[in-house]
Amino acid sequence: MIFLLRSRHSASSRITQFRFQFQFRFQFLILFFLLLSILLGTHTIIPPRVEAMRLVLQRVKSASVTVEGNVVSSIGPGVMALVGLHENDTEDNVQECCKKLLAAKLWANDNGGQWRHGVKQRNLEVLCVSQFTLYGTLSKKHQPDYKLAMKSIPAKALYGQFLSLLKESYQEDKIFDGKFGEMMDVELINDGPVTLVIESEPKGSNSE
């Protein structure tokens, strides 16, 4: 009788142990397949699509662009803007940056109040220079990588829209340009110095 009870108790312990091992292994398999799905991309968090046009604005006393020894554009007091286009930029980004450039209050008003007037209020000039390297990054070997910059053909078209919008929003004879895609010598006298980096607001979602 004692032997029978011990046998039953031993069998019950083995069943309990088996159930525990089974549950543990089952939970382990679930965790394993969850991690595998993440590694394979099933649950990968997709970063938002970046769309941010970038400008470097410099308040200048004068600025000019020379190509192959010839001065192609020059301005007196005003703003020189380096213009960088991200690969995902659209007309919305162009419109936003045009508004920000012309509205940027980089000068004092007539009463001496600092940062009160922009180029339009002071009737000044703007010189734009296309600058794809604004979206450059350095590789592990410290070499420039420009894959985030918009490719030449679409960039030229969108940059042209930017210039046209500036002329429409201000005065055509106040907007000047370098030479897109060319090697340019850029000279300027920075007034201050005052330099600002501005971007359009990034617009993104988790799906293309």
Side-chain angles (χ1 to χ4, degrees):
M1 185 68 177
I2 294 175
F3 176 77
L4 181 59
L5 289 174
R6 288 179 175 174
S7 298
R8 289 179 177 176
H9 178 73
S10 177
S12 176
S13 297
R14 286 197 295 270
I15 292 173
T16 301
Q17 185 178 8
F18 174 78
R19 287 177 177 173
F20 176 79
Q21 291 177 346
F22 176 79
Q23 290 176 351
F24 176 80
R25 290 175 180 175
F26 181 73
Q27 291 173 351
F28 176 81
L29 286 174
I30 292 177
L31 181 60
F32 171 79
F33 283 113
L34 178 60
L35 291 173
L36 183 63
S37 67
I38 292 175
L39 290 174
L40 292 176
T42 306
H43 291 82
T44 301
I45 298 176
I46 302 174
R49 175 186 175 100
V50 176
E51 298 174 1
M53 185 174 171
R54 184 172 294 164
L55 303 179
V56 177
L57 304 184
Q58 298 180 80
R59 188 178 74 181
V60 299
K61 293 183 177 179
S62 64
S64 65
V65 175
T66 301
V67 176
E68 296 182 347
N70 298 314
V71 177
V72 296
S73 286
S74 64
I75 64 171
V79 169
M80 198 198 78
L82 302 178
V83 182
L85 293 169
H86 187 276
E87 61 178 349
N88 295 329
D89 281 341
T90 65
E91 291 183 17
D92 290 339
N93 303 98
V94 165
Q95 292 174 2
E96 185 177 348
C97 279
C98 172
K99 182 178 179 180
K100 286 184 175 182
L101 191 164
L102 295 178
K105 294 178 171 59
L106 305 181
W107 289 270
N109 61 19
D110 296 335
N111 296 322
Q114 291 297 317
W115 318 116
R116 294 293 188 269
H117 282 177
V119 289
K120 295 177 70 174
Q121 291 162 298
R122 298 185 70 85
N123 199 34
L124 301 177
E125 299 172 319
V126 177
L127 173 59
C128 294
V129 178
S130 61
Q131 185 75 77
F132 73 91
T133 60
L134 289 182
Y135 269 106
T137 58
L138 286 179
S139 68
K140 291 181 180 180
K141 295 182 179 180
H142 306 294
Q143 295 173 317
D145 185 336
Y146 303 115
K147 64 183 177 183
L148 294 178
M150 184 176 289
K151 299 298 183 291
S152 179
I153 294 177
K156 185 175 183 179
L158 197 60
Y159 178 67
Q161 292 181 35
F162 178 64
L163 294 175
S164 296
L165 189 59
L166 285 173
K167 293 174 181 179
E168 293 172 8
S169 303
Y170 187 20
Q171 298 177 37
E172 185 171 353
D173 61 353
K174 297 291 186 182
I175 306 300
F176 297 83
D177 178 30
K179 224 172 180 184
F180 187 92
E182 299 289 341
M183 291 293 295
M184 293 176 278
D185 296 330
V186 180
E187 296 183 3
L188 63 97
I189 298 177
N190 195 315
D191 181 14
V194 174
T195 301
L196 294 180
V197 179
I198 63 173
E199 294 182 345
S200 58
E201 290 297 324
K203 300 176 177 62
S205 62
N206 289 333
S207 60
E208 293 294 324

